[in-house]
Every structure is written in structure tokens, then in C-alpha cells.
């Protein structure tokens, strides 16, 4: 069975400060890892993915994520947060055709 | 816009009624997924199609739920004899391959009175 944990329900940061949204996972085999963002009453939008290769992956809107195999983590980061980054963020792990999502972290960036 | 579209966006129905939702994936995507999302949780996998074949179903998908993708293009999800616990957002997604991201529709929000 595969599982994803996002230990923080809420992350609050000031605009211009760096942000980190945490994700750890448990899976058998080598997973594909994804981050998605969701705005109210909308579907999920893809931010970035890790398949193989460099542990630091860069994605949309200046976001990046670091894959750490020994810690089974895939934390989402951004060097300088914007108010418009405020949204609900989901980490997902995929093995084969099946994706498992975390329960989400609400990011609030205050001016 | 050639993204994933879902219809209707909102559905309100009485308990015990049947409902059907439609999903139109991105045209070249042969993989199609249905998820259910409730408040405060991430999407929960329901079922997966590759072309017209339904290859995987979650244990969450009781016998009141049925999904089809008859021509390998659009898909429908039907819920028979709806219950209060069926109230949720139903999301459809499509992808080209397993290592590509899933593209999500904006969902159908089901409310059971």
C-alpha cells in the first residue's frame, strides 16, 4: 500500500519570505512524485514532478521540490513567496497507474 | 480551451435518486481517472480507464457506482440510489502516459438533500 503524508494542514508565510510545504511518502518500488495546486471550486493544477535524475526539480511559477530518497520526502519550496501563491497544495505519489494524494496543505501568504 | 471538461459542475438531488456525470478528457489522452474529494481531504482514487478498458477499481467504488468509457473518449460515472455520504466533489483527470502529470477537470460537486 502506498501513502502520502503532509504533516502541516496550514503554512503561513510573509510575502517575500521563502516557503516550504512538506511531504513524505511510503511506497514499494520507485515512485513518480508530483505536486499539484488547487484553487477554490477548481480542479488540481500540475506544478512539478520527479521521475528520475536530479533530486532538485523546478516547476511552474518559480516552485521547486527536492527529492530525498533516504528520508522518503519531496518537499515543495519557493525562494520568495507571493500573495497569489495562497492556495491548497497536494503532494501525490504514483506507482503504475494508481496515484495517492496527501490531504493537502493550505498555504497563506500575507502581504 | 482543450482541457478536461466535466458536466454538470453542480448537481443537487434527493437521496435515493440516480445521477450521472460526464467527463471529456484531453483528446489525445488514452488514460482517464475518476476521483472523489471531500472537504479537507485529497482526491481519493475511484477508477481508471486505458482507452475503453476499465483496468482498475477502488474498493471505495461500491456496486451503486458504475463508470464507462464506451469509445475510449468521454466517460460517464453513474451513482444509483444516492446516499448522504455520496456528497462530494467528483474529479476526472486524464493523462497520456503514467509518468506524465494528470490533467484535472474542475469537477462535479454533488449535494444530496
Amino acid at each position: 500500500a502506498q501513502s502520502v503524508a503532509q504533516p502541516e494542514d496550514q503554512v503561513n508565510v510573509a510575502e517575500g519570505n521563502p516557503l516550504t510545504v512538506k511531504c513524505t511518502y511510503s511506497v514499494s518500488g520507485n515512485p513518480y512524485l508530483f505536486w499539484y495546486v488547487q484553487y477554490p471550486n477548481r480542479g488540481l493544477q500540475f506544478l512539478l514532478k520527479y521521475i528520475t535524475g536530479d533530486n532538485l526539480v523546478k516547476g511552474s511559477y518559480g516552485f521547486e521540490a527536492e527529492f530525498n530518497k533516504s528520508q522518503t520526502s519531496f518537499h515543495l519550496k519557493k525562494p520568495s513567496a507571493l500573495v497569489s501563491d495562497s492556495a491548497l497544495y497536494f503532494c501525490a505519489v504514483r506507482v503504475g497507474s494508481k496515484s495517492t494524494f496527501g490531504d493537502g496543505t493550505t498555504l497563506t501568504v500575507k502581504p | 480551451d482543450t482541457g478536461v471538461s466535466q458536466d454538470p459542475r453542480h448537481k443537487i438531488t434527493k437521496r435515493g435518486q440516480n445521477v450521472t456525470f460526464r467527463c471529456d478528457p484531453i483528446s489525445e489522452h488514452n488514460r482517464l481517472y475518476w476521483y472523489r474529494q471531500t472537504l479537507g481531504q485529497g482526491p481519493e482514487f475511484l477508477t481508471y480507464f486505458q482507452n475503453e478498458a476499465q483496468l482498475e477499481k477502488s474498493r471505495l467504488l461500491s456496486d451503486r457506482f458504475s463508470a464507462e468509457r464506451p469509445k475510449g473518449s468521454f466517460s460517464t460515472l453513474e451513482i444509483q440510489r444516492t446516499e448522504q455520504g455520496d456528497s462530494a466533489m467528483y474529479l476526472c483527470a486524464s493523462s497520456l502516459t503514467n509518468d506524465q502529470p494528470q490533467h484535472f477537470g474542475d469537477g462535479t460537486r454533488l449535494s444530496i438533500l
Side-chain angles (χ1 to χ4, degrees):
Chain A
Q2 55 199 54
S3 64
V4 176
Q6 294 182 239
E8 302 156 317
D9 290 337
Q10 182 107 18
V11 169
N12 298 313
V13 298
E15 187 174 31
N17 283 1
L19 69 88
T20 299
V21 182
K22 296 180 180 177
C23 171
T24 59
Y25 64 91
S26 174
V27 68
S28 300
N30 295 317
Y32 299 151
L33 296 162
F34 299 83
W35 275 101
Y36 292 85
V37 60
Q38 186 176 34
Y39 298 97
N41 298 312
R42 301 296 300 275
L44 281 66
Q45 297 177 27
F46 168 72
L47 279 179
L48 50 78
K49 67 176 181 179
Y50 174 82
I51 304 299
T52 186
D54 289 341
N55 289 343
L56 185 66
V57 293
K58 295 186 183 295
S60 307
Y61 312 116
F63 283 93
E64 56 190 30
E66 187 167 12
F67 171 66
N68 188 315
K69 187 173 183 178
S70 62
Q71 297 185 3
T72 60
S73 68
F74 189 54
H75 300 331
L76 181 70
K77 301 181 179 184
K78 187 173 182 180
S80 179
L82 299 172
V83 172
S84 58
D85 292 331
S86 298
L88 182 56
Y89 291 81
F90 290 98
C91 179
V93 60
R94 187 189 303 177
V95 176
S97 61
K98 185 174 180 181
S99 291
T100 300
F101 289 80
D103 284 338
T105 298
T106 299
L107 171 67
T108 301
V109 182
K110 297 185 178 179
Chain B
D1 182 31
T2 57
V4 178
S5 63
Q6 292 188 244
D7 183 69
R9 290 293 315 276
H10 304 276
K11 180 68 176 181
I12 301 173
T13 192
K14 294 180 179 180
R15 182 171 55 89
Q17 297 296 305
N18 299 344
V19 294
T20 299
F21 311 140
R22 178 181 170 118
C23 170
D24 286 273
I26 293 173
S27 58
E28 62 265 29
H29 287 182
N30 59 5
R31 288 163 166 80
L32 186 147
Y33 313 80
W34 284 99
Y35 294 89
R36 180 170 64 190
Q37 185 180 22
T38 54
L39 196 62
Q41 298 201 336
E44 295 177 293
F45 171 80
L46 291 179
T47 191
Y48 157 67
F49 290 85
Q50 187 167 331
N51 299 311
E52 67 275 11
Q54 187 174 20
L55 298 185
E56 194 167 348
K57 290 171 60 173
S58 166
R59 290 171 298 166
L60 294 173
L61 214 64
S62 76
D63 56 4
R64 297 184 299 105
F65 286 70
S66 62
E68 295 183 340
R69 195 182 182 196
K71 298 181 179 179
S73 57
F74 73 92
S75 175
T76 57
L77 178 67
E78 181 182 15
I79 308 174
Q80 296 182 327
R81 305 180 303 282
T82 52
E83 302 173 355
Q84 288 284 347
D86 297 332
S87 294
M89 175 76 88
Y90 290 84
L91 294 168
C92 176
S94 69
S95 71
L96 194 54
T97 61
N98 281 340
D99 64 344
Q100 293 299 309
Q102 297 178 8
H103 295 256
F104 283 81
D106 285 337
T108 294
R109 182 170 296 283
L110 175 64
S111 298
I112 307 297
L113 301 177

